[in-house]
Amino acid sequence: MGIQKRLVGSYFVVICLTVLILEIILNVSVRYYYFHNIEETLMNQAELSASFFQQYFGDQDLEEQSDRLLKGFASHSDAQVQIINVEGRLLQDSNGLQGDLTMTEYIDVQAAIKGQPGSWKGADPNTEEAIYAVSYPLQANGNIVGGVRFITSLTETIHTVKQITVLLFGVGIIVIGIVTLLGLLLSWTITRSIKDLKQAADQMTEGDFSIRVHKRYQDELGSLADTLNMMASRISKSEQLKNDFIASVSHELRTPLTSIKGWAITLKASEVSNQPLFYDGLDIIESESDRLTHIVDELLDFSKLDNGRIAVHFTSVDLTELLQHIGRQLTPRATRQGISLDVKIEEHLPVIQADENRVKQVMINLIDNSLKFTGSSGRIFITAHTVPGKVVISVEDTGSGIAETDLENVRQKFYKGDQQASGSGLGLSISEQIIKLHHGELRISSTLGKGTIVQFDLPIE
């Protein structure tokens, strides 16, 4: 069963139960209101009549004055009035019933001749009409001498109650119909958004990440549509980065391999006595082999990081010695490119717990990036200083900088802002993951045309 059917079915059942309960309560209330009003009216009339008798006829014989009493009682009421003696015998009736009838079969009369008001609802024995009767005791000098009985027809009341019941039932049907239509409309608005999401998800499973879900309402489903659209956008971007990465790595691998193969063929065809050419070829083969090794190492590191299989081995690391060693290692390359490489380290840097090889890998990646994007006569600064609880290490250059549109993406895997630059595009992504494994944070700030600052911190334990 679909969501729409379940929603409409649930609404229908709830509304039907609610309307049914309200119908029962309202009908009971209407019946009680009408019948209780009749009882109260008749009881008040009977009580007034009994008070009138006690005050003005209490010292006279009830049977002798019954005719006068009947006329007085009946003149102020539309109900049928009866005068009954203490034995329960009918003395007078406003509808002309013959006297000498025994009324003790009625419970209201039984109560009245015993000194208590009573009421009775039933059918008239002559007409079978529904009636309501109230009897009230008549007292004289503290003794019960009879009773007065007021009787009214319930035909009009029952008819009115039935009309109201039918009206309430009709209103209930209309309410159920309206709510059912509203339920259909509401469920349609919900299921329409869900269908949109399902169709988009189905197309995404087929590999089409260009699809976007139309956001119909500002609700939870609208938020889900935004999330799905954002996910599709990011997957599309990742797919594009992956394709660019494959093309870039293919080019990066092909270039050194072509160079190595070309020099191998050249050396094979040349005479061994040509020593300068021989050694130049070996140098280039060695350099290109190192370049291949570096690319493969980056790919392996990325694979391990992406699968959570890389491990760091913490040992005591003297940052002063490590940073100075890296500076000495890369200074010759910087000098060949005409770049000044300066190492400025705060005195008495603490010994920290870290994986020395991984920290060195991060530093070489960062400095290598600076060397790639800093022109001749540029400068690179390696600095380190302490702040409470951690050491902050910076690599700052005066190179070409990073465009603002690229700045937020450079740490993504496969991303290469300058497609002409060499490398796999994984260096910063790997470096950031390594710093996170050391419980630190990597930050990048840059101004296009002025340079870049990359900072990361390592905790002091």
Side-chain angles (χ1 to χ4, degrees):
M1 183 182 293
I3 293 177
Q4 186 173 12
K5 290 183 179 179
R6 294 204 302 271
L7 285 174
V8 175
S10 299
Y11 293 148
F12 185 78
V13 170
V14 171
I15 294 303
C16 285
L17 289 176
T18 303
V19 170
L20 177 62
I21 293 171
L22 289 176
E23 290 280 350
I24 293 173
I25 293 173
L26 289 174
N27 277 285
V28 170
S29 299
V30 167
R31 291 180 64 84
Y32 174 79
Y33 171 78
Y34 276 96
F35 289 117
H36 182 70
N37 278 350
I38 290 174
E39 181 183 5
E40 287 291 320
T41 301
L42 294 179
M43 192 64 73
N44 288 336
Q45 291 177 351
E47 185 178 3
L48 286 173
S49 299
S51 298
F52 178 80
F53 169 80
Q54 186 175 1
Q55 185 173 359
Y56 296 104
F57 294 91
D59 55 350
Q60 299 183 32
D61 184 75
L62 174 64
E63 188 169 350
E64 292 177 358
Q65 302 296 327
S66 61
D67 185 56
R68 291 179 60 193
L69 290 172
L70 179 66
K71 291 179 181 179
F73 294 162
S75 63
H76 300 290
S77 175
D78 295 330
Q80 178 185 354
V81 182
Q82 294 177 336
I83 306 296
I84 304 167
N85 67 8
V86 73
E87 287 85 17
R89 185 168 55 87
L90 177 64
L91 299 179
Q92 295 290 337
D93 184 277
S94 61
N95 283 357
L97 288 179
Q98 296 297 324
D100 296 330
L101 292 177
T102 301
M103 309 293 292
T104 53
E105 60 183 282
Y106 300 106
I107 58 174
D108 60 309
V109 175
Q110 295 174 11
I113 61 180
K114 290 180 180 179
Q116 298 293 330
S119 61
W120 173 80
K121 183 172 68 173
D124 188 295
N126 297 319
T127 63
E128 298 299 327
E129 182 182 19
I131 60 174
Y132 199 93
V134 170
S135 297
Y136 206 90
L138 298 176
Q139 297 184 13
N141 301 319
N143 297 318
I144 305 298
V145 296
V148 59
R149 191 180 193 220
F150 284 79
I151 304 169
T152 188
S153 172
L154 294 178
T155 302
E156 289 296 326
T157 302
I158 292 174
H159 179 68
T160 302
V161 170
K162 286 182 178 179
Q163 285 183 324
I164 295 175
T165 300
V166 172
L167 177 63
L168 291 175
F169 181 77
V171 171
I173 294 296
I174 293 173
V175 169
I176 291 175
I178 292 174
V179 173
T180 301
L181 290 176
L182 291 176
L184 285 169
L185 178 62
L186 178 60
S187 63
W188 178 72
T189 60
I190 294 173
T191 54
R192 182 173 61 164
S193 297
I194 295 176
K195 287 178 181 178
D196 290 343
L197 292 169
K198 182 181 181 300
Q199 289 175 357
D202 289 341
Q203 288 185 257
M204 289 180 188
T205 58
E206 297 296 327
D208 181 9
F209 295 105
S210 63
I211 188 68
R212 294 295 180 268
V213 184
H214 176 58
K215 183 178 179 179
R216 299 184 182 274
Y217 307 102
Q218 297 291 338
D219 56 7
E220 289 80 0
L221 291 175
S223 299
L224 183 58
D226 287 339
T227 302
L228 197 62
N229 289 337
M230 186 181 300
M231 181 188 72
S233 176
R234 290 183 177 177
I235 292 176
S236 297
K237 196 170 187 178
S238 295
E239 285 290 313
Q240 183 61 42
L241 289 174
K242 182 193 72 173
N243 293 334
D244 292 343
F245 164 75
I246 293 173
S248 175
V249 169
S250 298
H251 173 74
E252 292 294 329
L253 292 174
R254 187 182 298 112
T255 301
L257 286 172
T258 302
S259 180
I260 291 171
K261 182 178 179 180
W263 274 101
I265 294 172
T266 300
L267 293 177
K268 184 177 179 181
S270 65
E271 298 180 2
V272 179
S273 60
N274 190 347
Q275 294 294 327
L277 179 64
F278 182 77
Y279 286 111
D280 286 343
L282 290 179
D283 288 339
I284 292 173
I285 290 173
E286 181 182 8
S287 174
E288 295 300 306
S289 297
D290 290 339
R291 184 176 168 189
L292 280 173
T293 301
H294 178 70
I295 294 173
V296 172
D297 286 342
E298 280 193 341
L299 293 173
L300 290 173
D301 283 341
F302 169 73
S303 177
K304 291 178 181 179
L305 285 167
D306 204 39
N307 292 291
R309 293 186 291 107
I310 195 168
V312 290
H313 304 284
F314 290 92
T315 58
S316 297
V317 178
D318 185 343
L319 282 177
T320 301
E321 175 60 31
L322 176 63
L323 295 177
Q324 288 177 346
H325 172 75
I326 293 172
R328 291 193 299 269
Q329 178 181 345
L330 295 176
T331 295
R333 176 182 169 186
T335 302
R336 288 196 303 269
Q337 295 181 215
I339 299 172
S340 172
L341 178 60
D342 298 323
V343 180
K344 297 181 180 180
I345 302 172
E346 181 183 279
E347 293 184 0
H348 309 300
L349 283 178
V351 175
I352 66 169
Q353 294 295 314
D355 188 320
E356 183 173 354
N357 289 330
R358 292 298 179 182
V359 173
K360 183 177 180 181
Q361 178 184 355
V362 170
M363 288 299 301
I364 291 176
N365 271 334
L366 299 182
I367 298 171
D368 181 66
N369 284 339
S370 293
L371 289 170
K372 288 177 183 177
F373 296 101
T374 302
S376 179
S377 302
R379 305 190 70 181
I380 298 174
F381 301 95
I382 301 173
T383 62
H385 65 278
T386 57
V387 296
K390 56 189 176 182
V391 177
V392 179
I393 302 171
S394 302
V395 176
E396 180 179 357
D397 63 58
T398 59
S400 58
I402 304 172
E404 187 175 352
T405 54
D406 293 328
L407 191 58
E408 61 183 27
N409 299 317
V410 291
R411 285 178 285 188
Q412 292 184 13
K413 56 188 178 181
F414 311 136
Y415 188 83
K416 293 174 67 176
D418 183 358
Q419 294 299 325
Q420 300 302 318
S422 62
S424 63
L426 293 172
L428 277 176
S429 176
I430 293 172
S431 297
E432 184 176 36
Q433 294 300 319
I434 290 173
I435 296 303
K436 285 183 177 179
L437 290 174
H438 283 79
H439 309 292
E441 180 185 4
L442 187 140
R443 300 174 294 277
I444 304 174
S445 60
S446 182
T447 302
L448 191 63
K450 293 185 178 181
T452 303
I453 303 174
V454 182
Q455 288 185 331
F456 64 90
D457 49 64
L458 298 172
I460 301 173
E461 297 181 351

